[in-house]
């Protein structure tokens, strides 16, 4: 059985998360600058006018959209296959891993650089990172629960 990644959902999640992180970071930097120049608005925004601020947030959104969709699409390769009591998938570095289901030592949730996954760990045999944005995730996680 092949469990494919829902890359559009994954991309949506990554765009949202990246936009929030970058927008909050930009806002915090501007607030720190405002405090450091004693609330002088002209000095704070001498390199960026107040009119350009919405354009900055638009640029942040477009950057997030580009990278979120690109990474989401590229992670289509991280599908999981279960056949003949063997599970195969990709590890953290997107290298292919395969081991028997009875070799699974544990499975646990993990947030891999903003992408929520379930790590299927088989000790010395390696790990498989299963994205939660995967088709048939309930069925897959029920199968993993039997072994982990």
């Amino acid at each position: 059985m092949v469990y494919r990644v829902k890359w559009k959902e994954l991309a949506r999640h990554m765009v949202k998360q990246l936009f929030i992180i970058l927008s909050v970071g930009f806002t915090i930097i501007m607030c720190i600058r405002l405090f450091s120049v004693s609330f002088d608005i002209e000095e704070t925004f001498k390199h960026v006018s107040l009119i350009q601020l919405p354009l900055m947030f638009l640029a942040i959104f477009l950057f997030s959209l580009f990278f979120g969709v690109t990474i989401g699409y590229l992670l289509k390769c991280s599908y999981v296959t279960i056949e003949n009591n063997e599970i195969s998938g990709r590890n953290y570095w997107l290298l292919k891993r395969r081991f028997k289901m009875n070799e699974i030592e544990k499975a646990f949730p993990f947030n891999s650089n903003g992408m929520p996954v379930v790590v299927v760990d088989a000790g010395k045999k390696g790990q498989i990172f299963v994205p939660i944005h995967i088709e048939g995730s309930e069925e897959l996680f029920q199968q993993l629960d039997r072994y982990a």
Side-chain angles (χ1 to χ4, degrees):
M1 178 89 184
V2 177
Y3 299 95
R4 303 213 178 275
V5 176
K6 298 178 189 174
W7 72 272
K8 290 178 184 175
E9 282 184 26
L10 178 61
R12 215 174 287 123
H13 172 79
M14 294 184 82
V15 167
K16 179 179 153 188
Q17 195 163 15
L18 189 57
F19 177 70
I20 290 170
I21 290 169
L22 293 176
S23 315
V24 168
F26 177 73
T27 303
I28 288 173
I29 288 172
M30 294 312 272
C31 288
I32 289 172
R33 182 155 168 82
L34 181 66
F35 285 119
S36 69
V37 294
S38 302
F39 299 99
D40 184 6
I41 301 249
E42 279 186 29
E43 183 65 25
T44 301
F45 297 106
K46 82 176 172 186
H47 299 295
V48 178
S49 71
L50 289 173
I51 297 171
Q52 292 174 334
L53 278 179
L55 295 176
M56 294 294 286
F57 283 101
L58 177 64
I60 290 171
F61 174 74
L62 293 176
F63 176 84
S64 303
L65 182 68
F66 174 75
F67 278 99
V69 170
T70 303
I71 292 169
Y73 185 76
L74 291 175
L75 287 177
K76 280 176 59 173
C77 74
S78 60
Y79 60 89
V80 175
T81 307
I82 296 179
E83 348 178 274
N84 302 328
N85 203 29
E86 268 191 351
I87 183 169
S88 67
R90 305 286 175 161
N91 68 359
Y92 181 83
W93 302 105
L94 295 179
L95 299 173
K96 191 84 165 177
R97 292 287 178 248
R98 172 176 292 219
F99 43 82
K100 300 270 185 209
M101 294 289 279
N102 58 5
E103 295 175 332
I104 296 174
E105 294 178 2
K106 59 185 172 183
F108 54 92
F110 183 68
N111 193 347
S112 174
N113 296 324
M115 186 176 88
V117 297
V118 172
V119 178
V120 179
D121 189 2
K124 292 183 180 179
K125 295 279 186 171
Q127 297 177 332
I128 293 176
F129 280 50
V130 180
I132 64 164
H133 300 285
I134 199 160
E135 294 174 354
S137 59
E138 299 84 23
E139 177 188 331
L140 175 62
F141 295 142
Q142 284 176 354
Q143 281 187 327
L144 293 175
D145 282 342
R146 284 188 245 147
Y147 295 96

